[in-house]
């Protein structure tokens, strides 16, 4: 099993490198960072613009393949903090990612975990109660959430929180930024972080749970009438025991793969939530990189996302191997 997991990890690691290099090439082809320095009054001499862009390694007058080679050389031979170069703000990309990663990860990990647990539970519950009122309610609620853009859900939650605060007469729920400046002490800071985390986590978990519940319900319906369920019942197992021990376990096998790829969707969804709730995380960094044609910042953002997918894919392989003994060979 360890060899299987290591082999899959190496494959995902290679794909992570390939995805990052291709993202750099695509950004170099279609971005136009020179635009940032045009139209400024007084105008900047073209030689000065060329010097600035060359210092960042994004001068569009240099061939794309040559710029890509210089970028790869920097990754191979420069110190860790300088491997991905500088963004157009003059900041080194890796230290900037490190300062923002914690903000994004606390939202992503908690939202993904809660969304997966809630979605799988609702999916199993809906399949067991197929076509009953509770199943219909979950189905319609899931379709509404799936068809609603993430940022719209975030704005709706902010409106609800604002009305709730007005009803209480004080600001019980804070939803602007990841923390309140000026608060000292471990427990006050922890409480403040949890209060700020509440609404973005609810939004991310609900939208994730909507997708998980649909897939889990469909997979569970496929196994409800299976021979191994009837065999377990014939041997004396109760209906709930047969469903949980045998049915849910088999239905979870495809879900472990879906979890890994759905994590990428969550990363994209969290980017819009970071904008709505004014979080200075990786999602906001990526959107600003696209808006300003920042090649190095976008490549760093893609690299960060690919590394997250690397670990989530490896985790899904571990779950897959734990649920299905056939892949351990």
């Amino acid at each position: 099993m360890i060899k299987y997991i290591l082999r899959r990890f190496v494959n995902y690691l290679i794909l992570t490198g390939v995805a990052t290099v291709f993202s750099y090439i695509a950004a170099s082809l279609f971005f136009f960072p020179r635009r940032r320095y045009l139209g400024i009054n007084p105008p900047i001499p073209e030689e000065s613009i060329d010097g600035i862009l060359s210092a960042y390694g994004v001068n569009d007058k240099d061939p794309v393949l040559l710029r890509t080679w210089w970028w790869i050389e920097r990754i191979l031979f420069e110190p860790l903090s300088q491997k991905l170069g500088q963004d157009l703000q003059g900041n080194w990309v890796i230290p900037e990612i490190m300062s923002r990663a914690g903000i994004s990860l606390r939202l992503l990990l908690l939202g993904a975990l809660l969304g997966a647990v809630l979605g799988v539970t609702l999916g199993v519950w809906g399949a067991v109660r197929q076509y009953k009122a509770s199943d219909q309610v979950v189905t319609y609620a899931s379709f509404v959430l799936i068809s609603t853009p993430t940022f719209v859900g975030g704005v709706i939650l902010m409106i609800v929180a604002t009305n709730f605060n007005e009803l209480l007469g004080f600001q019980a729920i804070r939803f602007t930024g990841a923390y309140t400046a000026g608060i000292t002490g471990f427990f006050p800071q922890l409480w403040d972080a949890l209060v700020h985390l509440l609404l973005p986590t609810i939004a991310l978990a609900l939208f994730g749970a909507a997708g998980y519940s649909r897939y889990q319900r469909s997979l569970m319906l496929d196994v409800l009438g299976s021979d191994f369920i009837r065999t377990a019942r014939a041997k004396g197992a109760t209906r709930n025991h047969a469903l949980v021990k045998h049915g849910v376990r088999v239905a979870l096998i495809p879900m472990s793969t879906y979890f890994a790829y759905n994590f990428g969707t969550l990363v994209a969804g969290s980017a819009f939530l970071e904008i709505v709730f004014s979080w200075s995380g990786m999602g906001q960094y990526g959107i600003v990189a696209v808006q300003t044609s920042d090649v190095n910042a976008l490549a760093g953002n893609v690299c960060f996302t690919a590394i997250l997918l690397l670990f989530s894919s490896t985790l899904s392989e571990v779950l897959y191997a734990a649920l299905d003994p056939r892949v351990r060979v």
Side-chain angles (χ1 to χ4, degrees), residues 177-188:
Y179 60 89
T180 302
I183 293 181
T184 57
F186 176 75
F187 288 107

Side-chain angles (χ1 to χ4, degrees), residues 193-209:
L194 292 175
V195 169
H196 282 85
L197 193 60
L198 181 63
L199 287 192
T201 302
I202 290 175
L204 201 60
L206 285 179
F207 283 98

